[in-house]
Amino acid sequence: MPVSAAEKPWQLVADVGGTNARFAVVDLERGSLCHVVYYSVEDYAIFADVLAEFSAHVSSAGSWAKTPQGACLAVAGPVDGSVLKFTNSPWEIDVNGIEAQLEGAPLHIINDFAAVGYATTRLSPVDYLQLGGGAGNPTKPVAVLGPGTGLGVCAVVPCQEHKVVIEAEGGHADYAPVDAQEIAVLNILLQRFGRVSYERLLSGAGILSTYQALAELALREPAHERPEDVYQAAMDGSDTLAMRTLHVFCRILGSFAGNLALTLGARGGVFIAGGIAPKVLSILQQSEFRNRFESKGRLRGFLADIPVQVITAKDIGLKGAAAYLAQQGNS
């Protein structure tokens, strides 16, 4: 018998970061995402309230089954244990409580950057812009990184019929400056934070910290108090210090991406996700990013052919969560 309009099968996917929580329905009949809704983390005390609001939204649409057939939450932080804490948010996820809210639907929780990793297995050329390198070797690992609220990292490794995503916290590795200006910035940030990871520079807050440090070195008062104001001033050319900040960001991003490619043997390619890179793409293309990526002494030749691709597609975390659920169903 055909499924009635009121009983259309669906799955729930969510991409929960430090700033936004994105939810969507996976239409199992069409294999596509719909009912994509964004929520601001700061507007809700707990995650369970947002899940309840989205569930009510789906119910009000009137065409879906009462409960999803499965759910995948991609969350910004480690995913071990029954109570999950976010790296850059006061929220927690009570796994048992969420399972009860979903009324028995199978629940999968993965790291938000693992979701980006799964999404890369389904990208087409219209979903990204390549910054140098060749075609990449499809039999070799892929590195994924993404500066946004934090700095996410994962690896995608070919394994028989599937690609396996390896979750990582590489954004918290110790920052290594390359030139005198970066050393001067590091010294200022060491005084402020005690320890400086790559995430301290390659994130929204990191752009602001770099801007403030460069202002201190230039004996200037900072003109901007928000990261988005720094990139906007850099993009429109209204503030030379903001422009310098973005060029420092691009150089460090290139160094880090090259380090990651060496560490993982990522001859399959490097993907850059996150909210920042697409916003500053024109500066990134003109910057020293690619030179820094390849500038690894005797290993320059190893890196020269590795493609770096900036993901420009929207809702990549949701697509990755859906790809993860599909892979579970096909396993």
Side-chain angles (χ1 to χ4, degrees), residues 13-24:
V13 290
D15 175 18
V16 190
T19 305
N20 296 300
R22 304 166 179 87
F23 285 75

Side-chain angles (χ1 to χ4, degrees), residues 263-305:
T263 301
L264 298 174
R267 302 186 85 158
V270 174
F271 282 98
I272 299 179
I276 297 175
K279 292 177 182 173
V280 300
L281 197 50
S282 61
I283 291 178
L284 191 59
Q285 290 174 295
Q286 299 165 11
S287 73
E288 294 179 46
F289 169 86
R290 184 73 205 191
N291 181 55
R292 278 292 192 89
F293 177 81
E294 296 180 11
S295 185
K296 303 297 181 186
R298 292 170 293 169
L299 273 296
R300 178 179 282 274
F302 179 92
L303 293 158
D305 289 336

